Amino acid sequence: QVELVESGGGFVQTGGSLRLSCAASGGTFRSYVMGWLRQAPGKEREFVAAVTRSGRSTYYADSVKGRFTISTDSPKNTMYLQMNSLKPDDTAVYYCAADSQLTTTFTTGYWGQGTQVTVSS
């Protein structure tokens, strides 16, 4: 059983930056594809970014490409999402997820409890 705990959310103004962290226990990053998804009020949950087991390949939603960077620190069993040039549309609860296969939905994997990101205009 993998446990994922997110941190780093908060309130920021348009154009600002935040770094989210996801600490994993009960497993190692090299066993899973890791990713971030988000859900805004009244909207469907959507894919944000993913990184493969090796950490060498990353994938991003078009809406965040060039602004967000996903990375992992395997010795620390921690994943990060560096978010720059934030916009009000980025306001959502951000979830960390892990799955045994490459996916943009992570429906069969493990999830964290989420961390709120609010971007003011």
Side-chain angles (χ1 to χ4, degrees):
Q1 183 77 15
V2 175
E3 182 178 3
L4 303 172
V5 179
E6 303 97 333
S7 61
F11 184 92
V12 65
Q13 293 186 330
T14 296
S17 298
L18 283 175
R19 188 176 79 156
L20 305 183
S21 298
C22 172
S25 60
T28 61
F29 281 144
R30 290 202 174 271
S31 299
Y32 298 95
V33 174
M34 302 295 298
W36 292 94
L37 297 92
R38 67 186 182 186
Q39 187 166 21
K43 294 187 177 181
E44 297 284 319
R45 188 164 57 200
E46 64 175 356
F47 170 76
V48 175
V51 57
T52 56
R53 292 179 182 82
S54 66
R56 285 194 286 265
S57 296
T58 56
Y59 304 86
Y60 296 94
D62 288 342
S63 58
V64 306
K65 204 171 292 185
R67 299 188 298 122
F68 291 11
T69 303
I70 189 171
S71 62
T72 58
D73 186 336
S74 293
K76 294 183 178 179
N77 251 15
T78 302
M79 176 177 65
Y80 304 99
L81 185 68
Q82 178 66 43
M83 305 186 295
N84 299 327
S85 302
L86 283 161
K87 307 173 182 178
D89 283 350
D90 295 318
T91 295
V93 176
Y94 283 71
Y95 297 92
C96 165
D99 206 308
S100 59
Q101 57 188 352
L102 187 59
T103 174
T104 58
T105 61
F106 293 83
T107 52
T108 60
Y110 300 97
W111 289 75
Q113 81 290 348
T115 185
Q116 177 71 46
V117 171
T118 303
V119 185
S120 68
S121 57

